[in-house]
Amino acid sequence: MTLDRFPRVTLGNWPTPLEEAPRLSEALGTTVLLKRDDLNGLGVGGNKLRKLEFSLGQALADGADTVITFGALQTNHGRQTAAACAKLGLRCELVLTAKVPRDGEAYERSGNIILDHLFGANVHRCTDAEETAATYERLVAEAAAEGRKVATLPVGGSDAVGLLGYVAAAEEIRRQLTGPARILVPQGSGGTAAGLALGWDGRLDVACVGHDTAESAETLGSLVADGAKHLGIEPPSLDHVRITDRTLGPGYGVPTDAVWEALRLFGRTEGVVLDPVYTGKAAAALIAEPRPEEGPVVFWHTGGLPGVFGYGPEALAAFS
Ligand SMILES: *Cc1c(COP(=O)(O)O)cnc(C)c1O
């Protein structure tokens, strides 16, 4: 599948490493490979950079000078968008909504929030969906009044353009693997899993972090359909995709004991830092169902390191 016709701007270091994890593999009784998208560079890295290469490539092609996007207070997508905008000289407006049942000094003033400000984004904190919508409209009107051209990116950068980053990633890992493997990835807004579902025809395991299996499957299906249309191909069957919500817990942004246990295991066997919102839930799903009979598993590390500090007091209690 050639992606050459889509505008793209380079933001990360590619390919990201595919690493062996012998001590983790031994602990789980199954061979685990780590796909290190947490190490792709810009702005402390993470999975959103792959999407932003296409989303911001399109924004630049459209002549945009202002980017507006959305997320929770500790959004990794917002932080990576802010870093990419800094690098590209674009104005970045982050409209953040308090949608996770967490507050306090660490959640509200540490982690990703510090980096959003470091990268020069304008941060707008909203208490609910209504204030979020009103803030967005005000920012669009202000940009119009000043003659600026806005590109709006959805939550998580998950749309038919952004997901192309993970169609490209599927090709990247095909070149790195020397034999069959299954891939395990977390699903939040869905663009990562959808891009992989389009580009990768081996087994794809998806761990829900924000919605239950039924809702996540619906989001995935519609993103895959949009992506296929954008690519000009028939939407593939999703028989190769298996979705689980067994480690979702009470909801988005709420880590469970199994999540903290997963962070400890990866940290203490491999010195790898997972995050409490996304990769920790996917790793908990791996621990719950290692499935050695299915051969090696690629654990796709999508980043999120600053989230550890956003959940600082809880993290310290869980680790010490
Ligand atoms: C956004 C994010 C995800 C989820 O990716 P989606 O494309 O939104 O499903 C996974 N891990 C981390 C660290 C993220 O920031």
Side-chain angles (χ1 to χ4, degrees), residues 9 32 45 56 107 117 132 150 160 182 216 243 283 286 302:
V9 57
V32 184
L56 295 182
Y107 193 80
H117 287 286
T132 302
V150 168
R182 68 183 173 104
S216 301
I243 304 179
L286 174 63
T302 47

Side-chain angles (χ1 to χ4, degrees), residues 47-48 51 76 156 158 186-192 275 278-279 302-304:
N47 64 333
K48 304 310 182 302
K51 303 182 192 179
N76 297 302
S158 287
Q187 177 175 338
S189 61
T192 302
D275 81 289
Y278 298 96
T279 54
T302 47

Side-chain angles (χ1 to χ4, degrees), residues 15 18 47 69 81 91 100 130 143 154 168 170 172 206 212 290 293 298 313 317:
L18 181 65
N47 64 333
T69 196
T81 302
R91 175 170 170 149
V100 170
E130 207 176 319
E172 180 179 303
V206 175
D212 66 17
E293 70 284 1
V298 173

Side-chain angles (χ1 to χ4, degrees), residues 22 110 147 175 179 274 291 316:
S110 184
R175 284 194 298 265
L274 300 180
R291 301 179 189 269
L316 184 60

